[in-house]
Amino acid sequence: MPDTASLRVLLVEDNPVHAKLISRAIHESQPSTEVIHVTDGEPAMDMLLRRGDYLAEPTWRLPDLVVLDLRLPDMDGFEVLQVVRATESIRHLPVIVVSSSDLQEDVMLSYRHGANTYIVKPADYSDFLHRMGGLHEYWRKVAVLPRGAHSA
C-alpha cells in the first residue's frame, strides 16, 4: 500500500484508556488514518457486516484493518475472530489482536482462530505508543492489503 494512502482501522477495545492510546499512536504515525472505535464484538460485527446502524450509512465501507482486544464484555475477541474467518465477505481482513494477556493459551487460540498478529500491551506508556505506531507503520507501508474489497 503506498505511503500516502490512508487506512481505515476498526478498533475493538472496551478499555477507554487503551483505546485512546492506540488511536493516538495510530494518528501520530499517520494523521489521516480513520479510526472507528467500538467497545464490544457485536457492534464490531454490525460494522463489518453492514447491519444495524451501519445498514443505511451512505459512506460505509469495510475497514482495511481490525485491531481487536480479546477480553470484551459480551462478544469476546475469540468469537469475533471465528465469525470473521467464517464469513466469506470479510475473511480477508487482517485482524491484529492487542491484548493484556501474555498467556500462551490466548496466543495459540488467537492464531488458531485466524489472527494475523498478536501483540501484548506493554505496561510502559512510551513502549505502548511505540509498538502501536510500529504496527500501524507495518500495515500502512510494508504489507500489501487487498483492494476492491470495500463493499458489501
Side-chain angles (χ1 to χ4, degrees):
M1 179 165 270
D3 183 34
T4 57
S6 71
L7 291 178
R8 177 177 243 206
V9 176
L10 175 60
L11 172 59
V12 189
E13 171 64 68
D14 65 321
N15 182 314
V17 173
H18 292 177
K20 187 173 185 173
L21 289 174
I22 292 169
S23 294
R24 178 178 171 195
I26 289 171
H27 285 121
E28 283 182 8
S29 173
Q30 179 62 35
S32 65
T33 298
E34 178 184 4
V35 177
I36 301 154
H37 175 230
V38 297
T39 59
D40 194 32
E42 276 300 324
M45 296 314 305
D46 286 347
M47 193 278 170
L48 292 172
L49 298 174
R50 195 177 189 182
R51 63 185 191 199
D53 293 341
Y54 298 94
L55 185 61
E57 185 179 313
T59 60
W60 177 92
R61 70 176 175 93
L62 279 174
D64 300 296
L65 184 66
V66 178
V67 176
L68 177 66
D69 187 22
L70 291 178
R71 305 292 184 248
L72 300 167
D74 293 317
M75 183 182 194
D76 70 23
F78 297 117
E79 292 173 286
V80 171
L81 273 168
Q82 286 179 306
V83 174
V84 167
R85 295 304 180 230
T87 306
E88 180 66 33
S89 63
I90 58 174
R91 76 170 42 135
H92 67 280
L93 290 174
V95 179
I96 290 64
V97 172
V98 180
S99 177
S100 297
S101 172
D102 63 356
L103 296 173
Q104 274 301 300
E105 179 181 322
D106 288 342
V107 174
M108 290 300 295
L109 194 54
S110 294
Y111 281 117
R112 279 192 197 121
H113 288 317
N116 295 89
T117 303
Y118 190 104
I119 295 176
V120 177
K121 296 174 185 172
D124 179 71
Y125 174 75
S126 62
D127 192 22
F128 191 88
L129 287 176
H130 177 74
R131 285 188 195 189
M132 294 303 101
L135 171 74
H136 182 255
E137 283 294 299
Y138 171 78
W139 288 101
R140 187 174 64 84
K141 290 185 175 182
V142 179
V144 177
L145 298 173
R147 293 186 180 257
H150 297 294
S151 59

